[in-house]
Every structure is written in structure tokens, then in C-alpha cells.
Amino acid sequence: MGFNKTLSRFLTIASFYAVLTACSSNQPTVEPDLPEKEYFRLAQEALDNNLPTTAAEQLKELETRYPFGEYSIPARLDLIYAQFEAGNYAAAHATADRFIKNYPDNQALDYVYYMRGLSTYKGAESFLGRFLNLNPADRDTSEFDKSFSEFADFLRRFPESEFAPDAKARMVYLRNMIAEHEVAIAHYYFKRKAPLSALRRGQEVIQHYPSTPSVEEALAITIQAYMDLNLYDEAKQNLAILVNSYPESQYLDKEQKFIPFELPREADPDFLYWVSLGMID
């Protein structure tokens, strides 16, 4: 009787052990850590082969496994670039922000500030296609404003940086684009018989974007809006500014009288206004 109990206990233990062995054999094998230098080498190789997503994965592994290693700082700098090249602009911006916070005295800080602004800039560009079907008044340019501010912050800190000329050029482009967007919204409001709203958009361009090419059209918008609102004295004042500033304006006839304008009625121009930023009407 005792022998039977012993045999039964042995079989139970053996069966339980077999189950444990079978379960453990199904567990994924954990790869051992690579040397820090090898992670960095693999990332560089991926970048050289135009595989930024793979490079970013290797660099994040290095960052996780060797947060204070020899390659931790260059790896974080390369991670910004890899994420940017992979089109992951939000991640590149976040990595740049962390670097600025953690390494405020690093020699490459000008590059990081520049890449932060550039990531916002490219991220905003990539979202344009999502909003083509929205009314101009509903489209958001806040990310372009943010990019402009970040580039301005970069230039204030590093005016002699090698990246400064590109940042300045992008800021000019951003100002022009935002001004053109305001003009497009003004035309949208004219079409919907909302001259007061159109007036405010024209004034926005004149007051806040005075050096952009859109100012001439913005003046014409304010003149048209004042006329629609029966505010003829104000219309005459703005017409005088238009004549003085742009004597050859397309909105003036040969006698320098204002040429009223309105949107074409045969087609909805919303799509063209957006993709051309108001340059096609």
C-alpha cells in the first residue's frame, strides 16, 4: 500500500515537472545585450543604407541598455536625425526637447534647436493633406506659428550657427504662407457674404505680416469689405494707402480707382485656395 502511494506521488511530480518543462520551452528566447559600440555601429550602418527606422530602433536600444554609456550622447543626437528621416516628426521633436533639457551645455545644442523647429515645420506640412476638405476658416496654422517661434528662438540663441541661414529662409516662407492663408480665409468670407469677417482677416495681414507679398491684396480686401459695410470713409482711407504703396496694383484701374472684386460663381474655389494658399482665385 505504501509502495502504491509513493509511486502515485512520483508520477504526479513527474507529470507536473513535464508540464513546467513544456511551458518553459514555449517561452521566447531573450537575446543577450550587444556591446554598446555594436548597437551604435548597427545604427550607423542603417543610416548609411537609408534605413532610418532601423537606425532609430538600434539607437533606442542603446539608449535603454546603456543610458550613461560612452555613446549615449551621440546616440541621442543621431536618434533625432533618424526619427526625422523616418518621418516620425513628433518623436524627433520630443527627443530634441529631452536633449535640450538634459544637456543644456552641449556643443551640438544649436543643431538640436534647429531640428526641433524643423520637425514642427515638416510635421505641419505633412498634415496639410488631411484638411483639404475643410473650409479655409476651419484650417489650423498653429503648428506653423509654433515652428516660426521655435526657429526664432533658435536664431536668438545661435545667430552664427551654420543652420541659421536655412532657419531664416524658412521663417520668411512661413510668414508668407500664413499671410496667404489669412487672405484665403478673407475670400472665403466674401463668398459667404460676411464682409466684417473678411475685413478682420485683411487687417490681420496688414498689422502682423506687413513685410509679406500679401499686403497688397489685404489692402484690397479691406477696401472691398468697407464698401460692402457702407463704410466709405474708411474705404477711401485704405484706398489712399493702396495707391500710395502700390500705384501699379492690379486692384487699381488706369485712373487709380479701385476695381471691386468677387469670387467666381461658377465653381467652388475652396480647394484651389487651400492648395495654392490663396494664389489662385
Side-chain angles (χ1 to χ4, degrees):
M1 189 71 174
F3 173 77
N4 290 336
K5 288 183 177 180
T6 301
L7 178 61
S8 176
R9 187 181 301 112
F10 172 78
L11 291 175
T12 299
I13 293 173
S15 298
F16 181 69
Y17 178 77
V19 171
L20 287 179
T21 302
C23 290
S24 63
S25 66
N26 293 329
Q27 295 297 317
T29 302
V30 178
E31 294 292 335
D33 288 351
L34 295 174
E36 181 188 11
K37 186 175 181 179
E38 183 63 11
Y39 280 118
F40 193 72
R41 185 193 69 78
L42 291 172
Q44 298 305 308
E45 185 178 277
L47 287 174
D48 290 341
N49 292 321
N50 197 27
L51 299 171
T53 300
T54 301
E57 291 171 355
Q58 295 295 336
L59 292 166
K60 284 189 287 187
E61 283 292 322
L62 188 156
E63 184 179 21
T64 300
R65 296 171 189 268
Y66 302 96
F68 306 106
E70 177 185 358
Y71 293 90
S72 61
I73 292 179
R76 288 179 171 94
L77 289 170
D78 282 350
L79 181 58
I80 297 170
Y81 176 78
Q83 290 170 330
F84 179 87
E85 287 296 304
N88 196 348
Y89 304 119
H93 189 279
T95 303
D97 266 340
R98 287 197 303 272
F99 193 97
I100 291 169
K101 180 179 179 181
N102 294 329
Y103 305 100
D105 299 319
N106 189 269
Q107 292 182 347
L109 208 59
D110 65 324
Y111 167 77
V112 179
Y113 271 93
Y114 168 74
M115 288 298 293
R116 185 181 67 167
L118 191 60
S119 295
T120 303
Y121 174 92
K122 295 296 290 186
E125 273 192 340
S126 70
F127 286 124
L128 287 182
R130 292 189 180 186
F131 304 113
L132 288 179
N133 293 325
L134 292 180
N135 292 333
D138 295 329
R139 295 167 189 147
D140 186 12
T141 60
S142 60
E143 286 299 293
F144 293 111
D145 291 327
K146 179 182 177 183
S147 178
F148 186 92
S149 297
E150 288 176 345
F151 279 136
D153 185 32
F154 157 71
L155 289 173
R156 180 177 60 82
R157 295 172 184 272
F158 309 100
E160 303 302 322
S161 170
E162 62 179 300
F163 307 107
D166 183 76
K168 290 177 182 177
R170 292 183 188 276
M171 288 176 70
V172 171
Y173 171 78
L174 285 167
R175 285 181 64 86
N176 291 346
M177 187 184 63
I178 294 169
E180 289 172 356
H181 181 258
E182 293 295 318
V183 166
I185 296 177
H187 283 292
Y188 171 82
Y189 282 133
F190 274 133
K191 183 187 175 186
R192 277 146 183 81
K193 302 185 184 303
L196 182 58
S197 296
L199 174 64
R200 289 170 179 166
R201 295 295 178 169
Q203 291 172 331
E204 175 75 12
V205 173
I206 295 167
Q207 293 171 7
H208 295 102
Y209 306 99
S211 61
T212 64
S214 296
V215 171
E216 177 186 351
E217 188 170 3
L219 281 167
I221 286 169
T222 60
I223 297 167
Q224 182 72 58
Y226 280 132
M227 291 172 61
D228 291 349
L229 293 167
N230 298 323
L231 298 173
Y232 298 111
D233 288 340
E234 289 81 353
K236 289 179 180 179
Q237 292 172 4
N238 280 35
L239 175 57
I241 297 173
L242 179 64
V243 170
N244 183 62
S245 303
Y246 304 94
E248 305 297 325
S249 174
Q250 62 178 313
Y251 305 105
L252 300 172
D253 63 17
K254 293 181 179 180
E255 298 178 355
Q256 292 194 316
K257 294 181 178 179
F258 180 66
I259 302 174
F261 61 90
E262 60 182 48
L263 299 176
R265 301 300 178 182
E266 63 272 12
D268 188 342
D270 288 350
F271 177 80
L272 287 178
Y273 275 141
W274 180 235
V275 298
S276 68
L277 297 170
M279 297 180 68
I280 299 174
D281 57 18

